[in-house]
Amino acid sequence: MTTPTPTTAEAVRDEVEAGHARLRALLPALTDTAAREPAALPGWSRAHVLSHIEGIGRAMARQARYALRGELIVAYDGGFPARTAAIEEGSRRDAAALRQAVTDTLAEASAAWAAVGPADWSRPVGYRDGDLRGALLCWWRELTIHTADALLGDSPADWPPALCHHLLDHLAPRAPKGIRLTLEATADAAPRPPCGPADAPTVTVRGTLTDLAAWLAGRAPRGPLHCTRAGTGSPLPALRDWP
């Protein structure tokens, strides 16, 4: 049975709160030794990933607070260089400080998003010149993907179906040029529309919903993905950059 992307921002907010709970439950496993160990992202430790979760969580919560006041603000003061510097500096903290920082961020995020009412979701935000619903979706993606990247016991195989369907929609622009990409999720009743021009060669990638979402998000699938081109087995195509 297909579980589509939630149709209301309130439903997305419920999914986000569930993600907060999952990450909180994993934080006690973070020791000083574990904080220095590699994460799933090349060149980053678990401490880097958790510092990034802290930063993006606070940044999106700030978008919500300012939008409710009718004000626009950039996601990060100082832009991308300041974001990178904050992650690097934050990664030097010990496990106790990291656990507390992330716990505080999740509480801040919950409070900020709880204050958004039904009529507020279309309010403009500075992040990508979008609206509050788009900022909440960003936090949902970042929270869920990077919780798995931290390698504290969560993986893409644990991603909820609604998030996976959202990722397949949001990341469709990663489909390579010059092909018509079809993603077929096993055990999913409803087929997904293909991406790409109708007259382009068709490439089909088949696997579990979580594995397809992981691959499209640039993460390692747990199981095999089966790729065919014109009915013949083929290597997985190279994906384009994130949208």
Side-chain angles (χ1 to χ4, degrees), residues 148 154-160 164 208 210-211 214 220-223:
D154 190 81
S155 78
D158 300 306
W159 290 350
C164 291
T208 66
T210 52
D211 283 341
R222 172 174 288 187

Side-chain angles (χ1 to χ4, degrees), residues 59 62-67 69 71-77 124-128:
R62 186 170 78 153
Q63 294 291 300
R65 290 196 303 272
Y66 274 76
R69 288 159 27 189
E71 300 179 41
L72 301 180
I73 192 169
V74 296
Y76 294 94
D77 287 330
V125 297
Y127 173 72
R128 294 192 172 187

Side-chain angles (χ1 to χ4, degrees), residues 88-110:
E88 194 60 42
E89 182 179 352
S91 72
R92 302 188 185 104
R93 292 171 291 185
D94 63 18
L98 284 163
R99 289 195 302 268
Q100 189 61 56
V102 174
T103 298
D104 291 347
T105 295
L106 297 180
E108 179 181 340
S110 290

Side-chain angles (χ1 to χ4, degrees), residues 25-242:
L26 296 171
L27 288 175
L30 185 73
T31 64
D32 286 335
T33 298
R36 307 301 152 212
E37 291 174 344
L41 295 176
W44 272 18
S45 66
R46 287 190 178 95
H48 284 92
V49 172
L50 293 172
S51 291
H52 178 44
I53 291 174
E54 175 193 7
I56 189 65
R58 292 189 187 280
M60 291 301 107
R62 186 170 78 153
Q63 294 291 300
R65 290 196 303 272
Y66 274 76
L68 292 180
R69 288 159 27 189
E71 300 179 41
L72 301 180
I73 192 169
V74 296
Y76 294 94
D77 287 330
F80 194 82
R83 164 197 174 274
T84 302
I87 292 171
E88 194 60 42
E89 182 179 352
S91 72
R92 302 188 185 104
R93 292 171 291 185
D94 63 18
L98 284 163
R99 289 195 302 268
Q100 189 61 56
V102 174
T103 298
D104 291 347
T105 295
L106 297 180
E108 179 181 340
S110 290
W113 292 111
V116 181
D120 295 322
W121 294 110
S122 61
R123 285 177 179 264
V125 297
Y127 173 72
R128 294 192 172 187
D129 295 322
D131 58 19
L132 269 177
R133 187 176 189 275
L136 178 64
L137 287 168
C138 169
W139 174 227
W140 186 28
R141 294 189 298 270
E142 294 283 331
L143 170 68
T144 310
I145 291 172
H146 291 311
T147 294
D149 289 337
L151 300 179
L152 289 172
D154 190 81
S155 78
D158 300 306
W159 290 350
L163 185 278
C164 291
H165 280 286
H166 169 63
L167 288 177
L168 297 188
D169 292 335
H170 179 73
L171 298 176
R174 298 200 74 195
K177 281 186 176 180
I179 69 169
R180 188 167 175 82
L181 180 64
T182 298
L183 302 177
E184 293 185 354
T186 55
D188 202 348
R192 298 191 58 82
C195 306
D199 58 349
T202 297
V203 174
T204 300
V205 180
R206 192 169 190 270
T208 66
L209 178 62
T210 52
D211 283 341
L212 289 172
W215 172 65
L216 207 58
R219 272 63 183 177
R222 172 174 288 187
L225 293 174
H226 302 283
C227 180
T228 57
R229 185 184 181 108
T232 303
S234 174
L236 289 168
L239 298 170
R240 287 189 277 183
D241 292 339
W242 271 64

